[in-house]
Amino acid sequence: MTASANPWPVDQARIDANWRAITIELDAPTPGRLERLLRAAGLPGRVTRLVVATPALRRAWYLATGLAILIGLGATDAARPRENLFVLLVMAPLVPVLGVGLAYGAEADPAHEVTLATPMRGLRLLLTRAAAVLGFSTFWLLIAAILAPGRQPMAFAWLLPSLGLTLATLALMTTFRPRRAAAVTAVLWVLGVTWVRAGAADPLAAFGPAGQVLMVLVAALSAVVVVARRHRFDLLELRA
Amino acid sequence: MRAAQVLAFGLTRRFRSTEALRGVDLALEGGLITLLGPNGSGKTTLLRCLATVDLPSGGSTLIDGLDPRHESDRIEIRRRLGYQPQAPGMTPSSRVFDLLDYLAVLKGHDDDRVRRHLVYRALEEVGLDERVGDDVGDLSGGMIQRLGVAQAILGQPTLLLLDEPAAGLDPDERFRLREIVAARRHRATVVVSTHLTDEAAIGDTVLVLIEGRLRFVGSPEALAATAADRAWIQDTEPVGARATWRLGDGRYRCLGQPPPGAAPVDPTLEDGYLLLTSPVRA
């Protein structure tokens, strides 16, 4: 049969392309449970991929959850409410700090070098991961704060320190490796609040208005440093 | 889509007291370029500088006229780039599809359907489309290297940089990988580093990097020709040859200044390379 005799000319290339497209749609693996959940919550596929497909980030999430639950359990002990509140306020801001420290860089992500060579800006990727860790840990810690005895407003005084310390960690990451940056921030924080507590009558003095203002300043200063030195997140952490 | 133009001027890279690159000049555009050199010669550092993940201590590079020292240029270069570092960096528990899809997001492909097609296309090119749902940990070493190439060619880059992609592979897998890489030489500037001379022989151009210096740029034939009249075979162990090794038949292949009466043999690329890397004996 000749082509001209065919009453329905066939564009084989187009049929092949369409068939291939159908095959791919049918064959492509479906996202995991967590990713489907995030998509159902309205997050676009590209974001859920960035958040879920990073094993390092999953580890940071698990750590954040574990720590938050431990802190929460401690805070709900009604026997020593003031002491427990102090522990909650000191420990809660450290959860996102450790999470961020574990979620980025060559130590955390085996594909870090490949990741750097893509057009996705390092800072954008870092902020996406930081937001994921911060959001996740904040969720659990808020539950802990709500369950804290007395339901006092002071139980939420870790929110600004969390933001300040997380940004401070990001700022230090422009100079130090992520884990070291997180460790430096954590040590300075614990030393700072312990020092304030030792010199004040109120054990929660570090979390009062002055402390909150200080944390806003730390957050603002750190944000400036992060933006100014954002190129550091686009390059390998090689020591020249 | 035009192959990327790569220029380097006096490229240096220092790490404390070590100078990994010492004034490298380059001009590449299209074709398959093999970067040959012994371990520690600076191959990885050079590729990292070209891949814009590291910045040189001195000198400069231009990719398609873009300077990686400037943030916007660096991002634009990365849109055209496919890079496989020496360590593939793949988590064994990740699924093949998820890993490539994640990297496709990083490469700026936001649409889910477009990404799926790009991922399948890359996997088809390296012969892994049947393993799309498998975990990386279930793949063989050769397959993982091919997966590394798949992530690098995702999105059809015009500059492809592969750092020792055939390291540790058996001959079958090396041959397969060689075919995959060579197939892209007409669509991109492909730079493949290796310390194996038979891998280097497939290049249109061979670069030989020794102790951070570019010691040879030319065709594989030209590199072999540098050993013309300086390779010979003799029955007894030679004295004063630059390099020598025993052949299967018990004789010695020698490189250097042949002794009187020695009959030169046809030189190979390996001869030329060894003459470059072997120190001149006093």
Side-chain angles (χ1 to χ4, degrees):
Chain A
M1 193 193 303
T2 62
S4 58
N6 187 347
W8 297 289
V10 171
D11 183 344
Q12 193 59 44
R14 191 170 177 182
I15 289 177
D16 289 346
N18 286 341
W19 182 245
R20 186 170 177 274
I22 292 168
T23 309
I24 289 173
E25 292 304 317
L26 292 173
D27 191 45
T30 50
R33 206 172 298 154
L34 179 59
E35 193 169 351
R36 287 203 304 272
L37 195 70
L38 292 173
R39 285 186 187 205
L43 285 175
R46 65 177 194 283
V47 176
T48 60
R49 265 292 126 120
L50 286 183
V51 171
V52 175
T54 315
L57 195 52
R58 286 202 297 268
R59 281 196 294 275
W61 276 13
Y62 298 147
L63 179 87
T65 307
L67 277 176
I69 289 172
L70 278 178
I71 293 166
L73 284 174
T76 51
D77 177 8
R80 296 185 307 155
R82 203 75 176 158
E83 286 300 313
N84 290 337
L85 190 56
F86 178 75
V87 173
L88 170 72
L89 295 179
V90 173
M91 297 300 288
L94 296 180
V95 176
V97 166
L98 297 180
V100 167
L102 289 174
Y104 194 78
E107 292 165 316
D109 184 2
H112 184 63
E113 193 168 345
V114 171
T115 302
L116 285 181
T118 66
M120 169 76 75
R121 281 180 169 83
L123 179 59
R124 185 178 158 198
L125 181 62
L126 178 60
L127 289 180
T128 304
R129 292 184 185 178
V133 174
L134 194 62
F136 201 67
S137 55
T138 301
F139 170 77
W140 290 109
L141 290 166
L142 277 174
I143 290 177
I146 289 166
L147 294 177
R151 294 200 178 176
Q152 44 193 316
M154 216 37 189
F156 299 92
W158 51 268
L159 278 165
L160 277 174
S162 288
L163 181 68
L165 295 189
T166 304
L167 282 167
T169 306
L170 297 182
L172 285 173
M173 280 166 65
T174 63
T175 303
F176 300 114
R177 291 174 191 273
R179 290 182 185 181
R180 184 170 294 183
V184 169
T185 309
V187 168
L188 289 177
W189 167 248
V190 172
L191 288 176
V193 290
T194 308
W195 179 70
V196 172
R197 183 184 169 150
D202 181 6
L204 303 180
F207 305 96
Q212 300 295 330
V213 170
L214 180 66
M215 280 299 129
V216 170
L217 290 176
V218 167
L221 185 65
S222 300
V224 170
V225 172
V226 168
V227 171
R229 292 171 59 85
R230 62 188 181 277
H231 70 279
R232 289 298 310 151
F233 300 114
D234 286 332
L235 299 168
L236 277 175
E237 301 144 4
L238 300 170
R239 293 290 168 259
Chain B
M1 197 163 46
R2 192 175 60 82
Q5 183 192 58
V6 179
L7 300 173
F9 309 98
L11 214 58
T12 62
R13 184 67 172 103
R14 278 181 295 277
F15 298 99
R16 293 200 173 96
S17 59
T18 308
E19 213 167 2
L21 295 177
R22 306 171 187 215
V24 172
D25 294 309
L26 271 181
L28 309 169
E29 187 167 5
L32 175 58
I33 297 104
T34 47
L35 176 59
L36 187 61
N39 292 331
S41 59
K43 301 189 295 293
T44 293
T45 304
L46 177 57
L47 287 185
R48 281 177 169 169
C49 287
L50 297 180
T52 74
V53 298
D54 191 19
L55 292 178
S57 311
S60 59
T61 54
L62 287 176
I63 315 284
D64 286 337
L66 300 162
D67 187 340
R69 287 173 298 190
H70 304 137
E71 189 183 2
S72 58
D73 281 11
R74 190 161 61 233
I75 299 300
E76 186 52 42
I77 291 168
R78 290 175 179 181
R79 287 188 211 287
R80 305 164 188 208
L81 174 69
Y83 174 52
Q84 182 191 7
Q86 205 165 20
M90 292 171 187
T91 310
S93 60
S94 295
R95 278 191 306 190
V96 167
F97 179 83
D98 293 346
L99 185 77
L100 261 62
D101 193 46
Y102 165 66
L103 288 166
V105 172
L106 295 178
K107 288 190 175 194
H109 304 290
D110 288 345
D111 186 89
D112 290 0
R113 191 168 292 177
V114 170
R115 276 205 317 277
R116 276 196 287 276
H117 283 256
L118 288 174
V119 168
Y120 267 81
R121 185 172 171 182
L123 288 173
E124 278 168 7
E125 280 201 55
V126 301
L128 285 176
D129 47 318
E130 297 293 322
R131 309 299 297 263
V132 72
D134 290 357
D135 286 349
V136 172
D138 293 335
L139 303 182
S140 68
M143 287 176 177
I144 290 175
Q145 291 293 73
R146 277 192 272 145
L147 186 58
V149 174
Q151 68 77 16
I153 64 177
L154 204 63
Q156 308 297 315
T158 55
L159 174 60
L160 187 58
L161 305 172
L162 308 173
D163 195 355
E164 306 228 13
L169 297 186
D170 64 41
D172 281 349
E173 278 290 358
R174 273 169 55 195
F175 180 74
R176 194 166 186 172
L177 201 62
R178 193 186 292 183
E179 291 293 302
I180 293 165
V181 172
R184 304 199 68 84
R185 72 208 309 166
H186 304 297
R187 286 176 274 175
T189 301
V190 184
V191 185
V192 182
S193 81
T194 180
H195 57 270
L196 303 172
T197 48
D198 60 331
E199 294 293 327
I202 64 165
D204 302 306
T205 303
V206 180
L207 311 175
V208 179
L209 193 66
I210 300 169
E211 293 178 346
R213 288 196 174 87
L214 209 51
R215 296 285 299 275
F216 178 86
V217 180
S219 67
E221 296 77 21
L223 179 55
T226 61
D229 298 328
R230 293 199 289 166
W232 74 98
I233 293 174
Q234 65 181 57
D235 295 334
T236 56
E237 193 168 354
V239 177
R242 290 263 297 275
T244 183
W245 63 99
R246 204 163 183 179
L247 300 171
D249 61 6
R251 294 185 297 164
Y252 294 87
R253 189 175 180 100
C254 315
L255 300 173
Q257 192 59 43
V265 294
D266 286 341
T268 64
L269 182 145
E270 188 169 50
D271 295 334
Y273 172 67
L274 287 172
L275 277 170
L276 282 173
T277 57
S278 308
V280 179
R281 292 185 183 179

